[in-house]
Amino acid sequence: MKRLSDRAPATSFRGYVDVNAFEEVLACNIKDVIADFCLVDAEIIQSYVSNELHGNMDEIVSSCAELFFKGHTLSYARSAAISTALGQPPCVVLDMEFAHDVVSVDFKLILGEFSVGVHINRVLLEELPEADFDPHFFAKIVTSARLRPLPPRFRSPYCPTDSLRH
């Protein structure tokens, strides 16, 4: 695991570490938000995305996230699309952002008919953390952004067992 160089404090980490581990940490921590989001009628979501009603989508995402994360930590990035593959049901792809402490993560939330996915596009660091930036350190940051501890059934191996909040 390489530490980011001191010359590039606000840089992407994609070339340095396993992105799948970071995606797992993020996905585990937003499962309750996604569960809340899935209570919204799929046709309404598809209509908002198709008609580019970003304000409405922002309100839905904000109301789902406000129960679990500190204000404006997890937000809709005002871009969405409906992905259609031949022979596959459509899926909604939302651009999202997680920003807390020294980390800002741009990611896509993919909502399929029977599955949900998280794809990290970019991670930016405002300053170099004191420790190496690895999935465990990222899990501590994401956990500290939550209003309530992560339920045990949602934890990934990278998530700390105790809840750090500040």
Side-chain angles (χ1 to χ4, degrees):
M1 182 91 39
K2 292 184 180 178
R3 184 180 167 105
L4 295 174
S5 69
D6 291 333
R7 295 186 311 254
T11 186
S12 172
F13 73 90
R14 185 171 274 292
Y16 296 101
V17 296
D18 179 17
V19 177
N20 293 329
F22 286 84
E23 289 175 344
E24 180 181 336
V25 168
L26 185 60
C28 287
N29 275 279
I30 65 171
K31 280 183 180 179
D32 40 14
V33 175
I34 294 168
D36 230 25
F37 189 80
C38 288
L39 295 175
V40 179
D41 189 341
E43 290 180 13
I44 291 174
I45 293 172
Q46 289 179 348
S47 171
Y48 288 171
V49 171
S50 297
N51 295 311
E52 298 183 12
L53 299 173
H54 300 298
N56 295 21
M57 284 303 302
D58 187 42
E59 286 296 320
I60 291 172
V61 171
S62 295
S63 67
C64 293
E66 72 185 359
L67 296 174
F68 306 103
F69 283 90
K70 295 176 182 173
H72 306 292
T73 300
L74 184 65
S75 60
Y76 174 64
R78 304 194 65 79
S79 178
I82 297 177
S83 175
T84 55
L86 188 61
Q88 299 292 323
C91 67
V92 175
V93 180
L94 304 175
D95 284 351
M96 303 283 290
E97 181 181 16
F98 170 82
H100 183 68
D101 206 9
V102 298
V103 177
S104 178
V105 180
D106 296 331
F107 67 99
K108 292 190 181 299
L109 178 61
I110 302 137
L111 304 163
E113 184 176 15
F114 298 109
S115 62
V116 175
V118 171
H119 175 74
I120 292 179
N121 293 327
R122 179 174 52 187
V123 173
L124 299 174
L125 301 172
E126 289 179 14
E127 58 188 56
L128 286 175
E130 293 174 13
D132 283 342
F133 189 72
D134 62 8
H136 296 285
F137 185 77
F138 180 60
K140 288 180 183 179
I141 291 172
V142 176
T143 302
S144 72
R146 293 183 56 87
L147 293 173
R148 300 180 215 171
L150 185 64
R153 68 183 184 278
F154 291 166
R155 285 203 180 101
S156 95
Y158 300 104
C159 294
T161 54
D162 57 338
S163 177
L164 296 172
R165 292 185 301 213
H166 63 277

